[in-house]
Amino acid sequence: RIQMKNPSQSGIDIVAFNTYLGAICDAAVAGRPFSSSSDNVIEELDSNLFNFTNFNNTLDGTTSSEKYLYKGLNLLRGDVARKKFALDGDPDIYSFNSLLTAVAKCSKPGRNLLSITDSCLFTMKKQGIECDTLTYNARIQAAIAANEGDRAIQLIDELLASPKLDADRYTINLVLMPFVKSGRKGQMLALMKDFYEMNAGKNNRIIVSAFEAFLNTLVQNDEVGLARDVFDAFFLSIPKDRMQLTGIRPNPTTKHFNIMLGGYGKTGDALKAFELFDIMLDIGLPLDGFTVTSLMMHPISTEKITSLLSQIENERGTLNPAAYRSVIGAYGDAGDAASACWVFLEMGRVCQKRGRGAESWNVLLGALARGCIIGDKASNVLDIYGSSAAKRSTEDLSMEELTSDEFVSLVDGMTCLDASFAILDMMRSGNQTSPLMQSPMPNSQSYCLIASALSGFGTSAPNADRALKLFRDAMNQGGVTPDGRFLNAILRCFGDDIEAALAAWKTDVGPAAASQQRNGNMNLQQAYNGLMHVCGRALRPDIATRIAYAMNKAGVEPTEVSLNCYMSGKRVAMEVKTDNGKKGLGLTNQYENLLSVECTKYNARKFDKSKRRAGDKKIRIILQQ
């Protein structure tokens, strides 16, 4: 703590003062509660300049972060620092930049802190301190955070026009999106080129680090194509007629490739992702868990997954638990639950304790659940020993240990549904059936996945009794929260048995949903949507409409999601009906129209910014009996 000193005493140096100021800025950024009584130094603010009288009694709407920022600003203006701390000299450029950087980090849409920035700049000018690149970077960052795009562009142009200042890597990263949005991509690339040429062969490490940030910024803002152009131009192919560089150019890193692979995971462009992966292998870069996880985001075949695993093993790559889980999930998506089981065992052997949490077991349950969808080999039994994953070469693993594991013996030869319930029993018993994978207690997600397997994700025949038993077992276990996803999955197990579903709602599911109100009505709404799916399976829009009325009465607004749940159930029902069974369905149209109006008349969710229905007329039909 810095004590206030008598002017006759020896003053503190600027480093100590900046350390104290930095602590104030850190408190502002962290949003810590403000309390002036805990400080030995009480700076009185100028009420005319800052529009409030003291730290504890401010105008309404001033946050604790703003109080800390004003406190820091007060220390910098005039000769306050010299008087309070007997500072030798005035605050320097580092003092002002610390405060401006804190203002930038605290800025956001709806919180305009530019007045603090302007006051700070006024004080700098009064004290004869000129802005440097870091000053401009902080101001640009604050303007962008406050959605002041025009101001940000103006500041960028001022910096680039200054003969005394140069844009650094942080400046370039800040200007990427403003330049893209204003159609100045050419100038953006020119800045990157100048930065590259200035450092190539002399400071390759800073180039590598800077372009990691550039690529990440573009990918995070959905400019994946532009990011690939930048990556190609500066690392994969540099035409001589565009760039004449001196020295040795830096090589791309695994992180560069991972950023791009993650971007293709967002766009779903599998072809470009695997093309880039092949380039990565040709260069000889090491693979890591994120590389594999990014590739597994794309829908790929069992053969492709197994081939990829073999490539990783040939490159002596090591997978972490997250990468193994992505492989298990990918095998599940490809309809190869047997290979998912085998890789699950490999994860236990390689990762040991790190891969034994409930999250890993739930990923396996998810893979098995996807094998229960009607028409997707749901009745086939698991052939784990003969799976694609088991047949590949695994020199680093003890095949004898894997093939003798009791877990494989337990579920091999079962259907995906039976294997799911066998694993659930294993988890509930807490016994270490497998020496490689000690089973944890199941959580709400575990039971949700078992219910999804039982319902075939809403496509299987009714399993009312088994679903109700599963629900009650979960509630009796203790520690399992009846969240909306679990309740929705349980109700879908009733198939087209709407009467049994309504009975279960009254006695078990409905009260459980109403007891969970921490997320508002989200759990209750998701549970009601499960009933909507059952109504669709039963082709009963009249009951679905009454449920929509009941939702309104319970304070839960039926939305388009509710309507979509009904329609998805109806699609399943129509797929299994014969042509003769479809006769007479026209009588349901009037109720479906009414249900559509009730579910789409308006959407109260503030975060739904869809404009598809912006022009729809919003009406409500009231039927009188």
Side-chain angles (χ1 to χ4, degrees):
R1 186 183 299 277
I2 297 179
Q3 303 289 341
M4 185 168 59
K5 294 183 177 293
N6 188 301
S8 64
Q9 297 175 330
S10 176
I12 65 173
D13 61 18
I14 189 63
V15 175
F17 173 78
N18 283 343
T19 302
Y20 174 64
L21 180 62
I24 294 175
C25 293
D26 288 343
V29 173
R32 297 194 183 103
F34 187 90
S35 176
S36 62
S37 60
S38 63
D39 225 324
N40 289 339
V41 180
I42 306 297
E43 293 86 13
E44 294 181 359
L45 296 183
D46 187 336
S47 59
N48 294 324
L49 179 60
F50 301 121
N51 204 27
F52 63 86
T53 55
N54 59 57
F55 294 122
N56 291 325
N57 298 305
T58 67
L59 293 179
D60 292 340
T62 304
T63 65
S64 61
S65 294
E66 290 174 292
K67 295 176 189 178
Y68 278 114
L69 293 176
Y70 280 123
K71 180 176 182 178
L73 180 59
N74 189 58
L75 287 175
L76 297 177
R77 67 183 181 87
D79 57 353
V80 174
R82 288 197 299 271
K83 289 182 178 179
K84 298 294 184 182
F85 303 112
L87 179 66
D88 297 332
D90 291 322
D92 58 12
I93 184 63
Y94 300 104
S95 310
F96 287 96
N97 283 344
S98 295
L99 183 63
L100 288 171
T101 301
V103 171
K105 292 179 178 179
C106 292
S107 297
K108 60 182 181 181
R111 179 189 287 181
N112 192 341
L113 301 179
L114 296 180
S115 59
I116 301 179
T117 300
D118 292 340
S119 298
C120 191
L121 294 172
F122 175 80
T123 304
M124 288 177 64
K125 184 177 181 180
K126 187 176 180 181
Q127 297 182 13
I129 299 176
E130 294 185 357
C131 297
D132 63 4
T133 301
L134 181 57
T135 309
Y136 272 98
N137 287 347
R139 296 172 63 192
I140 294 169
Q141 182 182 353
I144 293 173
N147 280 344
E148 297 283 345
D150 293 340
R151 185 182 177 108
I153 291 291
Q154 178 186 355
L155 292 170
I156 293 167
D157 290 337
E158 284 183 18
L159 172 60
L160 297 179
S162 173
K164 298 181 180 180
L165 302 177
D166 293 316
D168 61 14
R169 57 176 174 161
Y170 302 106
T171 312
I172 298 173
N173 195 43
L174 285 170
V175 306
L176 290 180
M177 294 316 300
F179 273 8
V180 169
K181 293 177 181 178
S182 59
R184 296 166 65 174
K185 294 181 182 179
Q187 190 173 3
M188 176 198 76
L189 294 173
L191 286 174
M192 290 182 178
K193 177 185 174 183
D194 293 342
F195 174 80
Y196 191 106
E197 291 179 339
M198 183 173 58
N199 292 283
K202 295 174 287 187
N203 196 348
N204 285 344
R205 183 175 298 179
I206 196 173
I207 292 178
V208 169
S209 175
F211 275 87
E212 287 174 356
F214 301 161
L215 294 176
N216 188 62
T217 297
L218 292 172
V219 167
Q220 292 300 317
N221 286 277
D222 299 325
E223 292 289 342
V224 180
L226 179 58
R228 178 61 188 272
D229 291 341
V230 170
F231 189 40
D232 285 347
F234 290 94
F235 288 95
L236 300 185
S237 61
I238 304 181
K240 294 182 179 179
D241 60 340
R242 288 182 55 193
M243 296 183 185
Q244 297 294 332
L245 304 178
T246 59
I248 302 173
R249 70 175 187 175
N251 294 318
T253 65
T254 298
K255 189 170 183 179
H256 288 135
F257 279 93
N258 284 348
I259 292 170
M260 290 306 310
L261 290 174
Y264 287 134
K266 293 175 61 177
T267 61
D269 198 332
L271 184 62
K272 291 184 179 179
F274 281 97
E275 173 202 349
L276 192 63
F277 176 68
D278 290 338
I279 295 174
M280 187 178 182
L281 292 177
D282 291 340
I283 294 175
L285 287 174
L287 312 178
D288 61 16
F290 190 86
T291 310
V292 178
T293 302
S294 299
L295 292 172
M296 294 303 160
M297 296 172 66
H298 303 281
I300 51 180
S301 65
T302 291
E303 294 75 19
K304 186 71 173 179
I305 300 170
T306 304
S307 174
L308 178 61
L309 286 178
S310 299
Q311 286 179 300
I312 295 170
E313 289 158 4
N314 293 335
E315 297 292 331
R316 312 302 295 177
T318 302
L319 302 186
N320 57 21
Y324 271 113
R325 287 192 290 267
S326 70
V327 174
I328 294 169
Y331 271 125
D333 290 336
D336 190 355
S339 288
C341 291
W342 185 264
V343 175
F344 178 75
L345 276 183
E346 287 187 8
M347 177 175 63
R349 174 68 175 81
V350 174
C351 301
Q352 299 182 2
K353 291 184 178 180
R354 292 184 300 144
R356 295 178 179 175
E359 183 179 6
S360 299
W361 287 78
N362 287 345
V363 171
L364 177 62
L365 290 174
L368 292 169
R370 286 187 286 277
C372 297
I373 300 176
I374 284 183
D376 195 19
K377 303 178 182 179
S379 60
N380 288 1
V381 297
L382 296 171
D383 182 11
I384 299 176
Y385 298 110
S387 66
S388 176
K391 290 178 180 178
R392 80 185 198 284
S393 174
T394 52
E395 297 177 0
D396 294 338
L397 300 175
S398 171
M399 296 300 293
E400 182 179 354
E401 184 179 8
L402 289 173
T403 54
S404 63
D405 189 86
E406 295 181 23
F407 171 80
V408 177
S409 302
L410 176 66
V411 300
D412 189 52
M414 290 184 173
T415 65
C416 288
L417 180 59
D418 291 339
S420 298
F421 275 93
I423 292 174
L424 179 63
D425 291 339
M426 182 192 307
M427 296 174 71
R428 283 194 296 213
S429 66
N431 295 330
Q432 188 171 343
T433 305
S434 168
L436 300 181
M437 297 294 292
Q438 184 174 4
S439 57
M441 290 297 292
N443 54 23
S444 179
Q445 178 68 5
S446 308
Y447 281 101
C448 179
L449 291 166
I450 296 293
S452 297
L454 184 60
S455 72
F457 285 96
T459 64
S460 299
N463 278 292
D465 294 338
R466 204 171 182 183
L468 202 53
K469 183 179 184 302
L470 178 65
F471 173 77
R472 290 170 178 170
D473 287 345
M475 296 299 97
N476 293 333
Q477 174 185 301
V480 177
T481 303
D483 60 36
R485 294 175 303 170
F486 174 42
L487 300 179
N488 186 294
I490 285 289
L491 288 168
R492 287 172 182 252
C493 296
F494 288 80
D496 59 0
D497 193 348
I498 185 61
E499 300 298 333
L502 291 174
W505 177 271
K506 293 177 181 178
T507 59
D508 294 86
V509 180
S515 67
Q516 301 296 317
Q517 297 296 324
R518 285 175 296 180
N519 295 327
N521 289 324
M522 182 63 69
N523 286 320
L524 194 56
Q525 186 170 48
Q526 290 177 331
Y528 270 119
N529 289 344
L531 278 180
M532 288 290 192
H533 181 87
V534 180
C535 290
R537 289 284 303 270
L539 298 177
R540 294 296 301 272
D542 54 329
I543 297 179
T545 304
R546 292 203 296 269
I547 290 174
Y549 294 154
M551 291 173 69
N552 273 313
K553 187 176 181 180
V556 180
E557 184 67 32
T559 65
E560 194 167 354
V561 176
S562 308
L563 178 63
N564 289 340
C565 288
Y566 168 83
M567 296 306 297
S568 67
K570 180 184 176 181
R571 282 192 294 271
V572 174
M574 298 300 288
E575 288 174 1
V576 299
K577 277 188 173 294
T578 63
D579 290 338
N580 291 333
K582 295 179 183 179
K583 293 180 179 180
L585 292 179
L587 297 176
T588 67
N589 289 341
Q590 56 180 330
Y591 284 106
E592 286 185 354
N593 291 337
L594 186 58
L595 176 64
S596 177
V597 170
E598 191 65 26
C599 292
T600 60
K601 60 181 181 293
Y602 66 89
N603 195 334
R605 295 181 299 171
K606 295 181 180 180
F607 57 83
D608 186 358
K609 299 180 180 180
S610 173
K611 297 181 179 180
R612 293 184 302 111
R613 296 183 175 274
D616 287 7
K617 294 182 178 180
K618 297 174 175 57
I619 61 174
R620 182 167 185 171
I621 300 174
I622 300 176
L623 297 180
Q624 295 182 348
Q625 296 182 349

